Amino acid sequence: MAHRKILVLDGHPAATSLSRHLTESYAETARSAEHEVALRHLSDLTFDMDFEHSHYRDAKPLEPDLQDIMDQLVWADHFVLVTPLWWGGLPAKLKALFDRAFLPGLAFDTRKTNWMGMPAPLLSGRTAQLIVTADTPGWFQRFAYQSAVQRATHRQILRFVGMRPRRSLWFSGASQANERQVSGWRRKVERAALAVA
């Protein structure tokens, strides 16, 4: 089995959550399979959430926590994002992390474009997996909302910067989940960690 360098990010802004539990299960299982794992919790990160500019010129410097995340993304060859679904999208602090840190020169290169005018991605050669906890049933998310959060995250964030998304995991009924459901979700997360090679 090829050993991977994995960045696992708990994208829930609270210090205790189902997302944190699943993130830690993923990281523990990946470490047991002898992968190198960096585990980060959004709740531990301190940064200004407001980008504040209408352009990328003179963007404010990254705070140490954001710079660490970018350094770990450069180090990693697989990125795992565990997040709740809030109002059809990512939590505000998680979205702010991408707004602030995925900048030209760090995540993409506006000086090099393809035939469609799209900037060159700077995080190519990496895979990624999205794991979502939600109250919206998976079938309803697919048919009524056309898997909007997965499509936006995969296509307009991960692929945009060069990462190749793997199949996402969707766990619904999260607010009222019982111990049996959570155990089942944890087993799926652990299988995903073992299948990363």
Side-chain angles (χ1 to χ4, degrees), residues 121-157:
L122 294 179
L123 295 173
S124 298
R126 292 160 183 79
T127 54
Q129 184 167 33
L130 177 65
I131 300 172
V132 181
T133 63
D135 286 327
T136 306
W139 66 268
F140 195 84
Q141 171 71 3
R142 284 192 302 275
F143 294 111
Y145 299 135
Q146 289 82 48
S147 301
V149 71
Q150 299 102 308
R151 289 171 57 195
T153 305
H154 283 178
R155 297 178 185 181
Q156 294 180 275
I157 299 176

Side-chain angles (χ1 to χ4, degrees), residues 54-195:
S54 60
H55 52 75
Y56 286 122
R57 297 184 305 277
D58 304 317
K60 57 184 136 185
L62 297 186
E63 292 87 345
D65 284 342
L66 290 182
Q67 187 60 59
D68 286 347
I69 290 290
M70 293 310 295
D71 291 345
Q72 288 171 327
L73 273 172
V74 169
W75 164 83
D77 48 37
H78 185 59
F79 174 49
V80 179
L81 175 60
V82 183
T83 180
L85 178 76
W86 283 3
W87 288 106
L90 304 178
K93 188 175 180 182
L94 179 57
K95 177 61 168 55
L97 182 151
F98 294 121
D99 289 346
R100 287 288 320 285
F102 277 28
L103 299 175
L106 296 177
F108 58 95
D109 188 349
T110 55
R111 297 166 303 172
K112 298 178 183 175
T113 58
N114 65 16
W115 64 273
M116 293 184 293
M118 299 298 287
L122 294 179
L123 295 173
S124 298
R126 292 160 183 79
T127 54
Q129 184 167 33
L130 177 65
I131 300 172
V132 181
T133 63
D135 286 327
T136 306
W139 66 268
F140 195 84
Q141 171 71 3
R142 284 192 302 275
F143 294 111
Y145 299 135
Q146 289 82 48
S147 301
V149 71
Q150 299 102 308
R151 289 171 57 195
T153 305
H154 283 178
R155 297 178 185 181
Q156 294 180 275
I157 299 176
L158 301 174
R159 284 184 186 163
F160 187 85
V161 300
M163 296 186 213
R164 193 172 68 255
R166 294 186 168 188
R167 182 176 167 268
S168 61
L169 296 178
W170 185 272
F171 301 132
S172 61
S175 292
Q176 306 298 325
N178 58 40
E179 188 175 331
R180 182 166 171 255
Q181 287 173 297
V182 172
S183 294
W185 297 341
R186 187 173 59 246
R187 285 193 296 273
K188 289 183 179 180
V189 163
E190 290 166 353
R191 284 198 296 271
L194 294 173

